[in-house]
Amino acid sequence: MPIENHTLVNELPEFKEDIHHLKMTDAHFKKLFNEYNFITEEVEKMEKEIVLTSTAEEEEFKKRRLQLKDTIVNYLKTVTEQKTASA
C-alpha cells in the first residue's frame, strides 16, 4: 500500500513553479517528468497489487524512480542557478 504521494510537486515543493514552467517549455524536462510519472504510476499499481510483480522487480522500479528524481533535482538546481546568475 502506498505510504505517501510521490508526485514531483509533492516531493519537491520548493521547485513547484520551475516544474510547471519547464514541463511547458523544455522538451527534455518534459520527457523526464513524464517518465517519472509513468514509473510512479507503475509502482503504485504494484503496491496496490493491481499489477502482480516480484518484490525485486518492485524495488527495481523504486530505484529507477529515485535515480530519475535525482536527475530531475540536478536539472532543476542547474536551471535555478542559471536564473539567479542572469538576474
Side-chain angles (χ1 to χ4, degrees):
M1 180 172 293
I3 297 173
E4 52 186 90
N5 182 345
H6 288 282
T7 63
L8 278 178
V9 172
N10 190 53
E11 292 279 319
L12 307 168
E14 68 275 22
F15 293 109
K16 181 179 179 178
E17 291 177 22
D18 291 320
I19 290 169
H20 176 71
H21 176 73
L22 288 172
K23 75 179 182 181
M24 304 303 272
T25 61
D26 185 309
H28 178 68
F29 183 83
K30 185 175 182 175
K31 180 179 181 255
L32 294 173
F33 179 85
N34 288 339
E35 185 177 350
Y36 180 88
N37 285 338
F38 173 78
I39 292 171
T40 297
E41 288 172 10
E42 291 302 306
V43 168
E44 288 172 359
K45 289 177 190 175
M46 292 174 196
E47 290 174 336
K48 292 176 183 177
E49 297 182 354
I50 294 170
V51 173
L52 298 179
T53 61
S54 67
T55 302
E57 186 176 8
E58 184 177 333
E59 291 302 314
E60 186 58 37
F61 268 77
K62 289 178 179 181
K63 287 177 188 175
R64 285 177 49 201
R65 179 174 63 188
L66 185 57
Q67 290 170 341
L68 191 54
K69 181 181 168 189
D70 288 342
T71 300
I72 290 170
V73 167
N74 289 332
Y75 197 90
L76 287 164
K77 285 181 179 179
T78 300
V79 168
T80 301
E81 289 169 5
Q82 288 174 349
K83 269 195 329 189
T84 304
S86 66

